[in-house]
Amino acid sequence: EEKMEVEKKDDGVEKMEVAKKEEGSSSGSKHEAVKAVAAEVANDSNSTTSAAGKIEDDPKSAGPADAKNMAGSTVTTTTAPGSTEVESAQHTEALLASMRTALAECERRLATRDAEVAELLASCAEQERSYSAAKKDHLRERTHLASIAAELERGEARLNNEIKLLQKELATTQQQAAQQLAKARDQHRSELAEQQRVAAEATARAAEWAKVRDALLEELTCPITSELPDDPVVACDGHTYERSAIAAWFAKGRNTSPMTREKMGPGLVTNQRVRVLVQLMKEQMPAEL
């Protein structure tokens, strides 16, 4: 069995060498995968050999793991020694089939990995193009911002000059306005003094006119009604009365003067002058009358 395991190991190594030669044109990743498969085969062979030796030396001390390794790695038989070469050939074919399957799986994985790498490279290329475009946009934006900053500096300089001119004009305007204000204030004071003088004179005239008016109203007011008469008449005592008031006075059987309390006759004469004065005063001073 040890000889068989050595032969299987040698056959496996030879097959691996043949596979490596056939796959010489493949990429470095395939070689690594083949090496990994060969290492696995060697490990399986070593584990099988050690398990078989352990079982032969001391069957009682061999555990379930040794039996499993022995059963999973090789197919042993207790038949006659003449069938060893056939079993070895069958085992080699099975091992080659397993290696071919492993190689196919490796190729499939490598193809998948190549596709992933190609996709990753395409993504990187797309990102690089995006980065280049973003970099160009950034450069254009920086150039645009630089031009804007320069324009802002020029605009700020122009604005500062305009502000200085405006401040100068404002100072001149304020000075002129102050002069005009002082002149207007002086003129206003003169006008106000004149108005106050005129108002004082008007107040004095109004006071005099009020005295005259009060005296005139007192003279023109009917002594009986204490109002300005609408139809003024002069009685025999020389005083002016409202016609209806003095008539009512006489109608009550009185024959004395309401003013002097002396006897007088019932004769009445229309006072035309008082009538005109009363009308003029009512027209000039309707609210007061």
Side-chain angles (χ1 to χ4, degrees), residues 19-282:
K20 285 162 61 177
K21 289 179 181 179
E22 291 176 352
E23 298 294 332
S25 60
S26 301
S27 63
S29 299
K30 292 183 178 180
H31 291 295
E32 296 296 331
V34 171
K35 290 180 180 179
V37 173
E40 291 179 1
V41 172
N43 292 331
D44 291 341
S45 298
N46 292 330
S47 62
T48 303
T49 302
S50 62
K54 189 175 182 181
I55 291 173
E56 288 180 356
D57 294 337
D58 190 3
K60 294 182 180 181
S61 62
D66 296 329
K68 184 177 181 181
N69 291 332
M70 184 67 182
S73 301
T74 60
V75 179
T76 59
T77 181
T78 59
T79 58
S83 63
T84 302
E85 295 180 357
V86 176
E87 291 177 355
S88 178
Q90 291 177 353
H91 182 72
T92 302
E93 292 297 330
L95 185 60
L96 289 174
S98 176
M99 292 175 64
R100 291 191 187 96
T101 303
L103 287 173
E105 180 65 20
C106 290
E107 290 178 352
R108 186 186 66 79
R109 292 181 181 180
L110 288 174
T112 304
R113 184 64 57 84
D114 291 339
E116 292 177 354
V117 170
E119 184 179 356
L120 182 60
L121 290 175
S123 177
C124 290
E126 180 65 25
Q127 291 180 0
E128 185 175 1
R129 287 192 296 271
S130 300
Y131 174 75
S132 299
K135 187 175 181 180
K136 291 179 181 179
D137 294 339
H138 179 66
L139 291 176
R140 285 195 298 270
E141 187 67 22
R142 286 186 62 183
T143 304
H144 181 62
L145 290 176
S147 62
I148 291 176
E151 183 64 26
L152 286 175
E153 290 179 357
R154 291 192 294 270
E156 185 177 2
R158 290 194 299 267
L159 183 61
N160 290 331
N161 293 331
E162 292 178 359
I163 288 174
K164 290 180 180 178
L165 292 176
L166 288 175
Q167 288 177 349
K168 186 176 180 180
E169 292 178 358
L170 180 61
T172 305
T173 304
Q174 288 178 348
Q175 185 178 1
Q176 294 176 356
Q179 293 176 358
Q180 293 177 359
L181 181 61
K183 184 177 180 180
R185 184 170 57 247
D186 294 340
Q187 184 178 358
H188 177 69
R189 287 176 179 175
S190 300
E191 293 177 355
L192 182 61
E194 181 65 20
Q195 290 176 359
Q196 290 177 350
R197 185 185 64 79
V198 172
E201 293 179 356
T203 302
R205 288 196 300 269
E208 294 177 359
W209 166 246
K211 292 179 181 179
V212 173
R213 182 197 60 189
D214 294 341
L216 185 60
L217 287 174
E218 185 178 358
E219 183 67 25
L220 298 177
T221 300
C222 176
I224 299 174
T225 60
S226 298
E227 295 178 356
L228 292 176
D230 293 329
D231 186 11
V233 293
V234 179
C236 295
D237 58 357
H239 295 281
T240 301
Y241 302 94
E242 178 69 43
R243 183 183 296 276
S244 59
I246 193 64
W249 177 274
F250 288 137
K252 291 180 181 181
R254 298 172 180 172
N255 57 358
T256 58
S257 170
M259 294 294 292
T260 62
R261 300 299 179 179
E262 295 179 357
K263 290 183 179 182
M264 69 174 184
L268 300 173
V269 178
T270 301
N271 193 339
Q272 190 64 32
R273 180 174 293 180
V274 172
R275 184 192 297 272
V276 173
L277 289 175
V278 169
Q279 290 178 356
L280 289 174
M281 291 185 69
K282 287 184 177 180

